[in-house]
Amino acid sequence: DYDTDLGFKELGEKMHEMNQRNAEMDLMKEMEDYRKEYIGNVSHELKTPLFSIQGYIETLRDGGVEDLSIRDKYLQRIDSSVERLLNIVKDLDMINRFEAGQIELKYSTFDINHLIQEVFDLLEMEAERQSMTMQLQTTQSQLFVFADKQRISQVLINLISNAVKYANREEAQIIVSTREGVQNIHISVEDNGMGIKPENLPRIFERFYRVESSRNRKEGGSGLGLAIVKHIMEAHKQTISVESVYLSGTKFKFKLAKSSIEKIRKIKANFIE
Ligand code: ADP
């Protein structure tokens, strides 16, 4: 005979300890896998423009290019690869500064609808080239928010240019909508493009993460755009959410604090009525 109580208790403790160790090991392996993947992604994003620069320089140096216009074209391509590298470094620097809490927002009151229209104007050529339409749907002609205008403009540029980039179909449509809530203005950016598979969706805000099919695309992009969007929203003490149906479309949603001007406008409107 043996003391079963004690035996079970010890066994239980041993099992608990082992489970804990396994969980720790799983977590460590997961972190290690993530680190490896991350470094792989970073080097991929850097390698592409670097190889292109190297290739053009070699061709130019070998003297194979007599034609001045071709030489010019190659120099321009070198230039745009350098610009791409610089942009990656600038974006990374911005992310690091956000993570270190070194970025201070410059709050002001502005009309979000007007800002959206400005971003549409900026991206109009690219959208037209792909015969896409961009549309603003709103409940009021003006909606004033209290936020960092330049950073919110960056959020809109990143989201709308992604919608343009990943539309991947004829007659794609991008709808940006704004509406007034009680405390906030609600904003969404929706496209009817290629969508994102559910298994990839939770990762799209990670830096350098790109869905495999995007990685193989020609269009520039480094997988930092959405990481920046998330940081800007967090700095505003807000969140951003995403819904997507694979092969059918994607919708990003966020909100911004309503400016007190909105409240004054409401009182005025009631007074006039
Ligand atoms: P990228 O530079 O690759 O566009 P982002 O951080 O902006 O990087 O986006 C990360 C990934 O999320 C993209 O590579 C793409 O796979 C996916 N993605 C982002 N926006 C959309 C969208 N509107 N439709 C489909 N996929 C998208």
Side-chain angles (χ1 to χ4, degrees):
D1 264 0
Y2 53 93
D3 186 339
T4 44
D5 261 5
L6 193 71
F8 278 134
K9 193 170 165 233
E10 274 175 357
L11 192 66
E13 274 168 10
K14 269 260 146 26
M15 295 257 294
H16 179 69
E17 211 175 279
M18 270 168 64
N19 279 341
Q20 219 164 15
R21 206 174 309 148
N22 278 343
E24 270 164 27
M25 272 163 67
D26 282 352
L27 187 68
M28 266 163 67
K29 183 169 177 327
E30 216 175 281
M31 277 164 65
E32 178 61 17
D33 287 349
Y34 175 77
R35 197 185 62 85
K36 276 190 197 149
E37 192 191 320
Y38 176 74
I39 292 173
N41 289 348
V42 179
S43 59
H44 176 90
E45 296 306 334
L46 299 179
K47 251 191 288 187
T48 314
L50 281 171
F51 278 147
S52 135
I53 293 170
Q54 193 180 37
Y56 287 120
I57 287 178
E58 257 166 37
T59 318
L60 288 170
R61 202 178 36 206
D62 291 349
V65 188
E66 309 276 279
D67 188 333
L68 278 184
S69 71
I70 294 181
R71 231 170 65 181
D72 228 36
K73 198 163 80 186
Y74 285 3
L75 284 171
Q76 260 166 29
R77 289 189 186 160
I78 290 175
D79 208 37
S80 66
S81 289
V82 169
E83 195 180 314
R84 185 155 170 210
L85 286 169
L86 281 175
N87 280 335
I88 293 175
V89 174
K90 255 194 263 168
D91 283 353
L92 263 182
D93 190 52
M94 196 199 293
I95 291 174
N96 281 337
R97 289 199 300 138
F98 264 119
E99 287 179 0
Q102 288 169 348
I103 289 189
E104 269 190 39
L105 297 184
K106 295 190 183 76
Y107 277 91
S108 68
T109 286
F110 60 92
D111 173 15
I112 188 76
N113 288 346
H114 190 255
L115 187 64
I116 291 166
Q117 209 57 60
E118 275 178 18
V119 174
F120 280 175
D121 292 345
L122 199 73
L123 300 173
E124 194 177 23
M125 280 231 304
E126 187 53 33
E128 255 170 31
R129 203 173 62 84
Q130 304 190 43
S131 40
M132 263 178 215
T133 57
M134 296 185 294
Q135 200 189 335
L136 170 65
Q137 285 178 355
T138 181
T139 49
Q140 280 105 311
S141 62
Q142 289 180 309
L143 282 171
F144 287 93
V145 297
F146 188 63
D148 185 324
K149 187 174 177 186
Q150 205 198 328
R151 306 268 177 211
I152 296 304
S153 158
Q154 183 75 64
V155 166
L156 291 166
I157 290 172
N158 290 8
L159 292 179
I160 300 171
S161 64
N162 272 354
V164 172
K165 217 164 30 174
Y166 302 113
N168 215 22
R169 71 163 72 182
E170 295 272 305
E171 281 159 47
Q173 231 194 348
I174 298 161
I175 296 174
V176 180
S177 73
T178 55
R179 84 182 155 77
E180 185 179 1
V182 182
Q183 302 282 347
N184 299 295
I185 304 294
H186 298 257
I187 301 142
S188 70
V189 177
E190 186 175 10
D191 65 63
N192 59 355
M194 63 200 276
I196 303 162
K197 286 183 184 163
E199 65 262 35
N200 298 325
L201 204 55
R203 302 199 54 192
I204 58 169
F205 291 99
E206 285 173 21
R207 31 163 127 161
F208 286 117
Y209 182 80
R210 308 183 74 193
V211 173
E212 207 48 51
S213 54
S214 318
R215 195 172 291 286
N216 301 329
R217 292 166 75 88
K218 283 200 312 294
E219 292 91 2
S222 55
L224 294 173
L226 289 179
I228 290 172
V229 164
K230 189 166 175 237
H231 276 299
I232 294 175
M233 291 322 299
E234 278 173 1
H236 280 84
K237 307 246 180 318
Q238 299 284 3
T239 53
I240 176 147
S241 65
V242 57
E243 295 158 19
S244 187
V245 179
Y246 186 51
L247 299 179
S248 163
T250 307
K251 184 178 191 172
F252 289 89
K253 286 197 281 193
F254 63 98
K255 52 188 172 35
L256 291 172
K258 204 151 83 172
S259 155
S260 46
I261 284 187
E262 278 302 331
K263 291 162 201 161
I264 295 166
R265 274 184 359 135
K266 192 124 296 156
I267 296 165
K268 265 196 197 155
N270 285 338
F271 189 70
I272 291 163
E273 268 171 25

